[in-house]
Amino acid sequence: FGDPVVATTIGAEGLGVTPGQELEVAAAPTAIADACVRLLTDRVHASDLAGRAYDFVSQHYSAEAVQQRLCERMLVSDNVARP
């Protein structure tokens, strides 16, 4: 699945992820360090986090998912009345 991720609040902004579900989010340096230590010591949590992140990225950011959203938006824009 890949590696679990610890991001800052700014780094995770706009991704649509849920902290603690697809990645760990922390703002302060000590909180980032604590999150890293947790992932290094709790391999079950780290593996679960990485698996959910993989699923999230596959569902929302894969080439197929992006292509689907683009096609949907193009269809919507074709149905919008033009001046």
Side-chain angles (χ1 to χ4, degrees), residues 4 35-49:
C36 290
V37 168
R38 180 178 181 205
L39 293 174
L40 290 170
T41 58
D42 186 346
R43 296 308 300 160
V44 172
H45 175 64
S47 179
D48 290 346
L49 201 72

Side-chain angles (χ1 to χ4, degrees), residues 2-55:
D3 295 318
V5 173
V6 176
T8 63
T9 50
I10 293 172
E13 194 172 281
L15 295 177
V17 294
T18 303
Q21 292 297 311
E22 293 89 18
L23 53 77
E24 292 292 345
V25 176
T30 55
I32 293 169
D34 289 344
C36 290
V37 168
R38 180 178 181 205
L39 293 174
L40 290 170
T41 58
D42 186 346
R43 296 308 300 160
V44 172
H45 175 64
S47 179
D48 290 346
L49 201 72
R52 286 190 299 269
Y54 181 88
D55 292 343

